[in-house]
Amino acid sequence: MPNIKQIAEAAGVSVTTVSRVLNDHPYVSEAKRKAVEEAIRKLNYSRNMNAVHLIKGTTRTIGVVLPRINLYYFARMMEGMAQEALLHNYQLMLCQTDYRPDEERKVLEMLRNKQIDGLVICSRSLSLDEVEAYAAYGPIALCEAVRDRPLSSVYIDHYAIFQKAITYLWEKGRRRIGFTAGRRRNSPSLRRRLQAYNDTLLALGGSPRQEWVLDGCYDIGDGAALVEHLLAMPERPDALLITGDQVAAGFILAARSRGLEVPGDFAVIGFDNQPISAVLGITTIDNRLSEIGARAFDSVRSQLAGQQPGPVSEELGFRFIKRGSV
Amino acid sequence: MPNIKQIAEAAGVSVTTVSRVLNDHPYVSEAKRKAVEEAIRKLNYSRNMNAVHLIKGTTRTIGVVLPRINLYYFARMMEGMAQEALLHNYQLMLCQTDYRPDEERKVLEMLRNKQIDGLVICSRSLSLDEVEAYAAYGPIALCEAVRDRPLSSVYIDHYAIFQKAITYLWEKGRRRIGFTAGRRRNSPSLRRRLQAYNDTLLALGGSPRQEWVLDGCYDIGDGAALVEHLLAMPERPDALLITGDQVAAGFILAARSRGLEVPGDFAVIGFDNQPISAVLGITTIDNRLSEIGARAFDSVRSQLAGQQPGPVSEELGFRFIKRGSV
DNA sequence: CTGTTAGCGCGTTCAA
DNA sequence: TTGAACGCGCTAACAG
């Protein structure tokens, strides 16, 4: 591969002129421009972007941290980011961490290393303190509510959602309400939800039950398995918030094939407004995953572009979609 | 951010020694090593990877081309790649192209630009000729059958799958067989499938019907909509190959709620062995998406590592999973 | 409008 | 075991 110097020689100009042509600068005579373009074509020249990145201190690449790309929740966020990236001519570095703290640290280091210009963290296991320590090296956006830190935050209010959903179930006469979650420990969103669960039920005069907080539910099979699990309980809930419509669908399908009725025996509220919820008539929460991804990406991008002086915090409203599972 | 020179000064050594410490080279006295490490800590130094990339001519980054990450088919492949990447300390650049040829070209250019060391193309709209032109700049793997070209190829035999599935339906007494697809035109896999569809049915003495080739089916909602579409046809199939279990599930659920029976009125064979196929008892093809991704990634990686002299071609076997929808 | 020159930050001969 | 010096390929003052 030839370099810029060889192009300059071949075209009979200086490297500066070549660089100017490469970067569409003004003040290049038409004749020299043509000569340079001709040399580029003839020698099959292509710029080495690593040199450009080095000198500019920028890569137009933004990192994305998430545990697993094959979960609807994250794939949808990623899709939103990717569309935005396409629009603004950015690249996306996908860092599937499987929630391993060391992998998350590696990505933060990439920010420090200048491999990426900014970072979107869809879900994390590191502490906010540890994340914040890297804010000095580039804009970081989290897809969760974060306050009073130099980090951008694009989120929906999980607390309010749970409050609303639980109250709705309560008004429909349900008194034995439980919920499911994905990751066991330390998830920021799980903490918020648990808090809302406890607060709301107590405020309504009900009783939160920790054995009705079911974790490890990721896909439709987990939802189906949940039915047996509940049936084996001495006391079981009569309503469930299920964080993920695939899981909710699995639960409903398995329950029905077991002769149970939804919403008769179990009222179900799903999450994400996935396509399957429309097909099965599942009442669900549209938590605007794609938009969260897009907005989180954009908060990073706009800071890089200097359009935003500092981190932004943006709460997106959710939509409660009533269908037939309650 | 300090650079290597400042560290050298602070530690009272030369930049060479600092570089040696940074890269774990031997022949550095314990005393100097400690001094360097101390200086690195004190000045909060971090290497600028872009300089390393420039000088090494390598980024340890592999690009991934796919149309949309929020399709099970691609998300699952990507997951396989990401796991492998994690294992081998590579980064993944996600390039969601939405099948736009220009975006695919941009990614190929990144290979030439040395932004990425290699490329995995999960699905393409460019011609193989155009892709092949970039093979000189780094290893490229496609997730489809490619012969006699300097490109790696990791795939399952779509032709054989269709042959097997159609024959199976035929043996079960079905004579009016159709199939669904995602993308309309120009998809290499669609072409293979169409060919298998025509060949197999003709060989069996049946008749392929072009109006029973249904495209634009991506998610569960499309599957549900398909039912109405078929019912509106003067002559409709009694069996369908549906490329994607979500789509198959939508079809089955909608058909049943319409009072139709599966497999009574329609026999259905799904694809991908997605979790939903187990829950609904859908007969399906396990096409090993995650492994395809992993193997494709690895073919690129091993070429970069010099473990493979040239491109490899690898066909993975599929599994036919019989459940209750036929 | 054009060219000379000095870096960007780092790895790596080569000689000591 | 160490360091001086060169070069990776490119951009951007600065001077003309």
Side-chain angles (χ1 to χ4, degrees), chain B residues 236-294:
Chain B
R236 47 180 184 264
D238 62 4
L240 285 175
L241 270 59
I242 302 186
T243 53
D245 285 322
Q246 285 286 325
V247 182
F251 180 82
I252 290 171
L253 290 170
R256 286 187 180 150
S257 77
R258 245 332 207 122
L260 298 165
E261 283 181 8
V262 174
D265 296 301
F266 293 103
V268 170
I269 296 181
F271 268 72
D272 303 347
N273 192 24
Q274 296 178 27
I276 199 172
S277 68
V279 172
L280 286 181
I282 302 175
T283 293
T284 190
I285 311 283
D286 184 345
N287 44 14
R288 302 170 69 185
L289 299 171
S290 171
E291 278 170 273
I292 287 186

Side-chain angles (χ1 to χ4, degrees), chain B residues 63-303:
Chain B
V64 180
V65 169
L66 47 75
R68 276 183 56 197
I69 188 62
N70 187 32
L71 293 175
Y72 183 91
Y73 191 85
F74 297 113
R76 190 99 174 99
M77 276 189 183
M78 189 85 200
E79 192 180 31
M81 289 185 242
Q83 279 166 357
E84 209 65 14
L86 199 67
L87 222 56
H88 294 281
N89 203 22
Y90 264 86
Q91 295 307 131
L92 250 31
M93 197 83 105
L94 172 62
C95 308
Q96 177 169 290
T97 60
D98 208 10
Y99 282 127
R100 280 183 248 182
D102 277 347
E103 295 303 326
E104 295 185 21
R105 287 193 189 98
K106 270 192 202 166
V107 184
L108 289 171
E109 279 300 321
M110 286 175 59
L111 188 60
R112 227 176 135 220
N113 284 337
K114 296 191 156 294
Q115 284 200 77
I116 54 181
D117 297 345
L119 195 55
V120 175
I121 300 180
C122 298
S123 185
R124 68 190 160 86
S125 60
L126 292 183
S127 74
L128 279 179
D129 283 342
E130 203 163 346
V131 173
E132 179 178 336
Y134 284 83
Y137 305 114
I140 301 177
L142 307 222
C143 300
E144 64 181 283
V146 174
R147 273 172 243 297
D148 306 324
R149 288 186 187 261
L151 303 167
S152 286
S153 167
V154 179
Y155 61 97
I156 47 163
D157 187 343
H158 291 293
Y159 190 97
I161 288 175
F162 257 50
Q163 207 169 28
K164 165 111 182 184
I166 288 169
T167 304
Y168 181 74
L169 289 171
W170 187 272
E171 285 167 354
K172 290 282 186 175
R174 305 288 169 162
R175 292 294 176 269
R176 310 167 62 75
I177 301 173
F179 75 96
T180 76
R183 193 159 46 129
R184 250 166 304 273
R185 329 141 298 164
N186 277 335
S187 156
S189 59
L190 176 53
R191 269 203 297 272
R192 293 284 294 161
R193 285 167 175 163
L194 194 54
Q195 200 183 339
Y197 175 71
N198 292 330
D199 293 356
T200 308
L201 276 181
L202 288 175
L204 290 168
S207 46
R209 309 256 300 236
Q210 300 318 304
E211 69 270 31
W212 290 347
V213 179
L214 296 324
D215 57 27
C217 294
Y218 293 101
D219 70 18
I220 195 167
D222 300 326
L226 201 55
V227 174
E228 298 306 315
H229 182 69
L230 290 190
L231 289 182
M233 284 181 145
E235 302 202 45
R236 47 180 184 264
D238 62 4
L240 285 175
L241 270 59
I242 302 186
T243 53
D245 285 322
Q246 285 286 325
V247 182
F251 180 82
I252 290 171
L253 290 170
R256 286 187 180 150
S257 77
R258 245 332 207 122
L260 298 165
E261 283 181 8
V262 174
D265 296 301
F266 293 103
V268 170
I269 296 181
F271 268 72
D272 303 347
N273 192 24
Q274 296 178 27
I276 199 172
S277 68
V279 172
L280 286 181
I282 302 175
T283 293
T284 190
I285 311 283
D286 184 345
N287 44 14
R288 302 170 69 185
L289 299 171
S290 171
E291 278 170 273
I292 287 186
R295 303 296 305 130
F297 173 91
D298 216 60
S299 78
V300 170
R301 202 218 86 245
S302 64
Q303 281 183 73

Side-chain angles (χ1 to χ4, degrees), chain A residues 158 162 179 189-197 243 271:
Chain A
H158 292 294
F162 257 50
F179 75 96
S189 59
L190 175 53
R191 269 204 296 271
R192 292 283 294 161
R193 286 167 174 162
L194 194 54
Q195 200 182 341
Y197 174 71
T243 54
F271 268 71

Side-chain angles (χ1 to χ4, degrees), chain B residues 42-72:
Chain B
K42 250 188 188 139
L43 297 182
N44 188 26
Y45 167 77
S46 161
R47 213 170 3 182
N48 183 326
M49 288 309 288
N50 292 317
V52 178
H53 294 164
L54 171 59
I55 202 165
K56 294 231 186 198
T58 275
T59 58
R60 285 198 86 80
T61 300
I62 289 176
V64 180
V65 169
L66 47 75
R68 276 183 56 197
I69 188 62
N70 187 32
L71 293 175
Y72 183 91

